[in-house]
Amino acid sequence: MKKSFLFLLSCISLSAGAQNLVQYVKPIIGTQRMGHVYPGATVPYGMVQLSPETDTPSYELNGRYNPDVYKYCAGYQYDDKTIVGFSHTHFSGTGHSDLGDFLIMPSVGTLKLNPGTADKPGSGYRSAFSHANEVSEANYYKVKLDDPNILAEMTTTPRVGFHQYTFPKSDQAHIILDLMAGIYNYPDKNLWTYVRMINDSTIAGYRLTNGWARTRTLYFAMTFNKKFLQMGYRKYDKREVYGGFWGQFARVKNFPELAGRQLRLFFDFKTEANEKIKIKFALSPVSMDGAIANMKAELPGWDFEKVKADGQAAWEKELHKIVIKSDSKDEMVDFYTSMYHAMINPTIYMDVDGSYRGLDQNNHKADGFTNYTTFSLWDTHRALHPLFNIIDPKRNADMVRSMLAHYDQSPEHMLPVWSNSANENWCMSGYHSVSVIADAIVKGNADGIDANHALEACVATARHRDYAGIGYYMDMGYIPDERNGNSVSSTQEYAYDDWCIAQLAKKLGKNDIYEEFYKRSQNYKNVFDPVSGFMHPKLADGTFCKKFDPFTTLGMGFIEGNAWNYTLYVPHDPASLIKLMGGNKHFITYVDSLFSYDLPDKYFAETEDITRDGIIGNYVHGNEPSHHVAYLYDWTDKPWKAQEKIRMILKRMYKPTPDGLGGNDDTGQMSAWYIFSTLGFYPVAPGSDQYAIGSPAINNAVINLQNGKIFTVDVKNQSDKNVFIQKITLNGKVLTTPFLTHADIMNGGSITFEMGAKHK
Amino acid sequence: MKKSFLFLLSCISLSAGAQNLVQYVKPIIGTQRMGHVYPGATVPYGMVQLSPETDTPSYELNGRYNPDVYKYCAGYQYDDKTIVGFSHTHFSGTGHSDLGDFLIMPSVGTLKLNPGTADKPGSGYRSAFSHANEVSEANYYKVKLDDPNILAEMTTTPRVGFHQYTFPKSDQAHIILDLMAGIYNYPDKNLWTYVRMINDSTIAGYRLTNGWARTRTLYFAMTFNKKFLQMGYRKYDKREVYGGFWGQFARVKNFPELAGRQLRLFFDFKTEANEKIKIKFALSPVSMDGAIANMKAELPGWDFEKVKADGQAAWEKELHKIVIKSDSKDEMVDFYTSMYHAMINPTIYMDVDGSYRGLDQNNHKADGFTNYTTFSLWDTHRALHPLFNIIDPKRNADMVRSMLAHYDQSPEHMLPVWSNSANENWCMSGYHSVSVIADAIVKGNADGIDANHALEACVATARHRDYAGIGYYMDMGYIPDERNGNSVSSTQEYAYDDWCIAQLAKKLGKNDIYEEFYKRSQNYKNVFDPVSGFMHPKLADGTFCKKFDPFTTLGMGFIEGNAWNYTLYVPHDPASLIKLMGGNKHFITYVDSLFSYDLPDKYFAETEDITRDGIIGNYVHGNEPSHHVAYLYDWTDKPWKAQEKIRMILKRMYKPTPDGLGGNDDTGQMSAWYIFSTLGFYPVAPGSDQYAIGSPAINNAVINLQNGKIFTVDVKNQSDKNVFIQKITLNGKVLTTPFLTHADIMNGGSITFEMGAKHK
């Protein structure tokens, strides 16, 4: 009762004139170059991400991999001049592509079922557009399609996309449903497509794809606000299947059942001038009936404005979890767009009744939790899940339960590495699920989690000898460079992950597991070469590789980071690392050099996932392994250097412009870094309860905690120049070390920073 | 309580020494030439039909249709010398092919994953065998595989196949699971195959196929009685997917998850001499979890002999529904093999928990009934379902409920025509579901059927203007020959079906529907040409086609029957037909000529689905449209001619030998004809309560009715020569017309025939 009352209160307070924060959300930020985010409509953690595609390049070009595919991970590139259509599923900020399901495009006049090419206007159904006629807000996207002269608008509920197309007067108005279109558009991606007409304005269907997610079935239901005159189709595969095949039927249109590998459908209408054709398009991971039920439950009517407003209110509620004050509108935009990007993933992956497709390809029912997918854990364990542990611990606990369900269903008996729609994509290194799990439980956020089962899952994953060099790592204390391309970085990442498991075991009083994994957590020392001064690839015979280049990321035992960066990747034990590297002074010089030594151009080309701006000296913010690095100064006698560097990174890597992200947003990790760093602290080692203090970049922030308490960050005298902390008081007491604990925040209270232009 | 007690009693009485009827079942009958039955193991109406494939020819040969495909509808041809393997799903007696799912083959020595060809021994995993080493019984099949020197045995439960392979001593013993194999082996039939290892002796998976059933997914679980040393695979499709792809894994075998379009798996063992490797292989139409649950529920242990015995006891129980006495063992074999073939289809299509895949491709739960598929209704409405209405009315009511569920889920809003595993195959003409439904309800067998909903379904189906000329038929009273290849036979079949709907409407007191459909039932008269004296193709302008050949089945407006045969197809109104054809005398001459006028050879080649022996004169027993014809003499003044002809057909068309079936068994219709005719009566017009009397060919039959009553057929002085009825008494009263009603049977009692060598 109390909870609902509080919830009610918060709703009322929001609707009764609370600050409008949604206005600062600009989904267009990061849509240019490498941000890989999309400008379309979604609600927080929504299963539907309804957004325009400006291109979906074929995976193959002349029989080879087409490098353009990478640009279109989110389907949209700001520099493009045409829109192909609007599809219902998109990754946000990933470095790999998939999805792009069920592309819809309106058109008028002679029907063109081919998308055509951007360089030939009118060659297909794609249309020119301009950013002047485009509006991109949280849960609302609008664009004028110039070629058919149609205004396209879209909004969503968690499981339903809502399209509204304002047509000119036409006897030949069409809605195209391109069931061949997709992102990661491999020629054989579509395995099977099935469509069934339910009545004269509703269809349902599904598509089975073998994309990045290798066995993925997505079901849909699609309803128009008026009857279509005709549903037609064309097939693009040699074998004729349903629809017209059976001599028994006299009809040439409106086949109520269609299937095949490659199909495009169209729906014909007559429209009056300014007539709105509306479409509700529901998804389900489980069944067509599930999609229909989702539509009925979430979007029973046809009030576009109400659905848009409801979704924006949902965003408003999420954004209000941290209310900041800043003199700069740009900062407000950067902050709340980061909040927006941080609360898109992981995505809900179940029907309204709790049914979802499991990793074992069986259907399951989520018992008392919301099931999520799209876990890009190599990225998000660092700051995104720790952020959830502060602002949305209940949801984070559900995410952990989703990860444990994944483990229970896993043919490998492993926790997720990169989970995507009932598939394990095995993308990137480490077993960082254990970090997310340990962080949640260590921070007391174990709501509904079976902690012992969680520990069992962590241990089983970490002992999977067959996976990515773990066997060698267990036997030898490091991965020999002959055995694995990421021998050094994986050794380091396992060491950190093992430390997380040890923390979890300690919390649960499992001393033998604590001992085992604490010991493993020290393995990073085995790949440090005191001669080169770097983490250094080591051979099976125990000697370090002679060929070595600390700048390169290729073929040197690291992934998405060179030795210079990765050497600092010991988030769980900075003090020992500093000792290992020669002590305080040498360590500071080393970190300084990372920011000041410009990476020669020849190395840049091989640095993945980032733009040229995504690099500062040799510090690669566009990739994640260095996200904690600036905070390491807190373990030296010069924490002011952290303050300086963090403000520099905030300024240079985040801008309120389409090209404003310095690299892939990585399903929110880059944004979570921004949020923490702007607030003035950062979780260097998730799995501990400690935050390292940086340099707050706002004047005031109120964190509205789920437990009803409030934690306030007050920053005095802060400015672009006044980046150095003069004094910190926590609930009135002076803080003498640059660290904060989770309890300090969750108990409520206030922290006050006094800032100045000179470091102390 | 009472029911279970009776059931218990009947079990006891069977096991305590009732007559062994299973001994007379010879599944091998009909496996040579055109019978299209299979010799393998199944329980009554079982979802699993575990049987050897002697070949599975590719659908295409040199880019064209391979006519050999037709021979292998059931996967087995008696003349073949090799066995490819044992798969779990087979049609029984159909004239079209599909299924053949999940082929298993044991082997020893060097692993060969290709089946090889029959003409090159040792070219693959297939093995030579001989009938001398083959045993085929109800629910038991055994064969010695000569090449690997392995004894293969199999038995089943409704949803689980049980394999037992007796190996020689070998360090290289293998079980191959060929996931590419299938019947109706179109090159692109396999759309996707998924396999997951559950533990070191169990896997689960599914296959999505686009075969005759166009969108069909079948799930499985497979458990060995011992751990395999290794599970390996080979892929036969250009794109590499699961298994070994992911560089993270060091392993080269035992990938716990595999998928692709074309895969073959193998499991390696070491065996001692005479060691038995046993496999339980469960199916589910719904999910892998469903298959696992089916296995647990039906076959928890490993006792092969017990499973075999239980399945044979289930057959014994079904066979005991009619207990005959005959002097001839051949007759006993023919009768009980017919009973066996009659009780294979329709097949159960749901998990033990009632879950099944519906025609709408959603999963459903059967609420209070068993869901069935494999409805070959053009065939089986004639005698098979009427037989069920006597010996198993509860099951038949469930079949009707399955048909209504199909209607409810049908995108076309139609009752089934040929339903196959959640697909509508649209095979053959008419909408004969209505006959089965009307027959059940008219005969008072509406247990659990919503009769009004059933009538609605019948009417909606019969008014589907778009389907197979119905619109023309409704508007013009016949189908113009320009519009449809079966214009005449479809007009006749619709007329009969409409009469069934009228009977159902009458029973339910829906007079307007009765009137509408009774009127339609007279439409057969519109295609009778008094000039030619035949049912005759008619053009849209109302004139009869000038080009006409009453012997041909090609291009003359008929399907699987020429005009000579089809003219007699007015099962619901023989008296009017006789009048139409010129009266009693002319009619008798016409029917006589059908049996005496030998069809010229040139026409035989075009007569589908039958062997040369399947024809008597011009009477084609191997196809169904004439199945009632011999009984039509009952409507003339010479019913003795029926008696003579029926005995001739029984003798010539059914033999206790591998080539003993004169045509496709057609999922039991041919066998049901045999059963009725042997008992001495036949349902000429299902939908009426009337049986026409023929000539009983046994000495005594006891029909054990589900209502606890018994109906006895006593035949005195019957022999191959004494085929003519001298006198019939029903419950002691002399029967003066050659007709019996359904109530006469279901009320219990006895009918006595006195036979003689001369007709009366």
Side-chain angles (χ1 to χ4, degrees), chain A residues 70-246:
Chain A
Y70 183 69
K71 274 175 72 180
Y72 290 91
C73 284
Y76 184 96
Q77 275 291 346
Y78 191 82
D79 292 338
D80 288 345
K81 307 296 182 203
T82 63
I83 282 176
V84 184
F86 308 94
S87 83
H88 298 80
T89 55
H90 294 86
F91 284 142
S92 178
T94 53
H96 202 299
S97 65
D98 204 351
L99 314 184
D101 297 281
F102 309 131
L103 184 130
I104 284 177
M105 186 67 172
S107 77
V108 293
T110 305
L111 181 69
K112 292 170 192 158
L113 274 183
N114 207 290
T117 54
D119 56 340
K120 289 184 191 151
S123 61
Y125 62 68
R126 83 163 71 204
S127 170
F129 79 108
S130 71
H131 296 301
N133 296 323
E134 185 184 37
V135 172
S136 168
E137 299 175 4
N139 200 37
Y140 180 61
Y141 179 81
K142 173 164 84 166
V143 70
K144 165 108 176 305
L145 298 170
D146 292 336
D147 291 338
N149 187 28
I150 288 170
L151 185 71
E153 294 173 279
M154 42 216 64
T155 185
T156 69
T157 66
R159 296 163 178 89
V160 191
F162 197 166
H163 306 242
Q164 178 168 279
Y165 298 107
T166 306
F167 273 77
K169 182 173 170 60
S170 174
D171 286 348
Q172 288 181 285
H174 318 286
I175 295 289
I176 293 163
L177 173 60
D178 189 336
L179 292 163
M180 292 162 65
I183 300 174
Y184 191 81
N185 205 0
Y186 199 88
D188 289 334
K189 180 182 179 184
N190 284 4
L191 297 170
W192 199 241
T193 308
Y194 175 90
V195 175
R196 184 164 52 90
M197 201 192 289
I198 289 175
N199 58 41
D200 50 19
S201 55
T202 300
I203 67 168
Y206 71 81
R207 185 163 73 165
L208 169 60
T209 51
N210 171 229
W212 190 35
R214 299 173 311 282
T215 293
R216 175 169 171 271
T217 312
L218 191 61
Y219 301 83
F220 73 87
M222 178 187 193
T223 299
F224 294 90
N225 65 330
K226 67 185 281 190
K227 296 178 185 180
F228 42 79
L229 299 175
Q230 164 175 350
M231 173 175 103
Y233 82 107
R234 211 172 293 158
K235 74 180 184 76
Y236 296 80
D237 192 49
K238 68 185 160 143
R239 190 164 183 207
E240 176 75 68
V241 285
Y242 297 48
F245 179 73
W246 306 102

Side-chain angles (χ1 to χ4, degrees), chain A residues 186 191-192 196 206 210 214-215 239 242 246 248 250-251 256 288-289 360-362 412 423 426 466 468, chain B residues 186 191-192 196 206 210 214-215 239 242 246 248 250-251 256 288-289 360 362 412 423 426 466 468:
Chain A
Y186 199 88
L191 297 170
W192 199 241
R196 184 164 52 90
Y206 71 81
N210 171 229
R214 299 173 311 282
T215 293
R239 190 164 183 207
Y242 297 48
W246 306 102
Q248 284 93 329
R251 72 168 75 88
M288 288 173 277
D289 273 357
D360 58 4
Q361 302 302 319
N362 283 305
E412 293 284 358
N423 281 262
W426 303 121
D466 204 29
Chain B
Y186 198 87
L191 297 171
W192 199 242
R196 184 165 52 89
Y206 71 81
N210 170 230
R214 298 175 309 283
T215 293
R239 190 165 181 204
Y242 297 46
W246 305 103
Q248 283 93 331
R251 70 168 76 87
M288 289 174 274
D289 272 358
D360 58 3
N362 283 304
E412 293 283 358
N423 281 261
W426 303 119
D466 205 30

Side-chain angles (χ1 to χ4, degrees), chain A residues 534 550-551 561-569 581 586-599 615-621 625-633 645 648-649 652:
Chain A
F534 292 102
F551 296 111
N562 58 20
W564 206 295
N565 279 271
Y566 246 111
T567 294
L568 297 169
Y569 183 75
M581 287 177 70
H586 179 76
F587 183 79
I588 291 173
T589 310
Y590 183 99
V591 182
D592 285 353
S593 77
L594 186 71
F595 288 99
S596 60
Y597 185 99
D598 274 352
L599 188 68
I615 209 162
I616 300 173
N618 184 15
Y619 169 84
V620 182
H621 190 71
S626 298
H627 273 192
H628 67 297
V629 161
Y631 288 91
L632 292 180
Y633 286 113
K645 298 291 183 297
M648 174 175 71
I649 299 167
R652 286 182 52 180

Side-chain angles (χ1 to χ4, degrees), chain B residues 102 177 179 193-196 198 203-207 218-222 265 281-284 287-289 291-292 295:
Chain B
F102 309 131
L177 172 60
L179 292 164
T193 308
Y194 175 90
V195 176
R196 184 165 52 89
I198 290 175
I203 66 167
Y206 71 81
R207 186 163 72 162
L218 191 62
Y219 301 83
F220 72 87
M222 179 187 193
L265 305 192
F281 201 103
L283 300 183
S284 164
S287 67
M288 289 174 274
D289 272 358
I292 291 167
M295 190 190 290

Side-chain angles (χ1 to χ4, degrees), chain A residues 57-70:
Chain A
S58 172
Y59 190 86
E60 283 183 0
L61 197 66
N62 306 322
R64 295 183 174 205
Y65 170 71
N66 176 3
D68 265 2
V69 164
Y70 183 69

Side-chain angles (χ1 to χ4, degrees), chain A residues 217 219 284-288 349 351 353-366 409 422, chain B residues 196 219 286-290 357 361-363:
Chain A
T217 312
Y219 301 83
S284 164
V286 166
S287 67
M288 288 173 277
Y349 191 65
D351 286 344
D353 74 348
S355 300
Y356 70 97
R357 180 74 37 96
L359 191 69
D360 58 4
Q361 302 302 319
N362 283 305
N363 292 339
H364 296 266
K365 210 145 188 175
Q409 297 151 6
Chain B
R196 184 165 52 89
Y219 301 83
V286 166
S287 67
M288 289 174 274
D289 272 358
R357 181 76 34 100
Q361 301 303 318
N362 283 304
N363 292 339

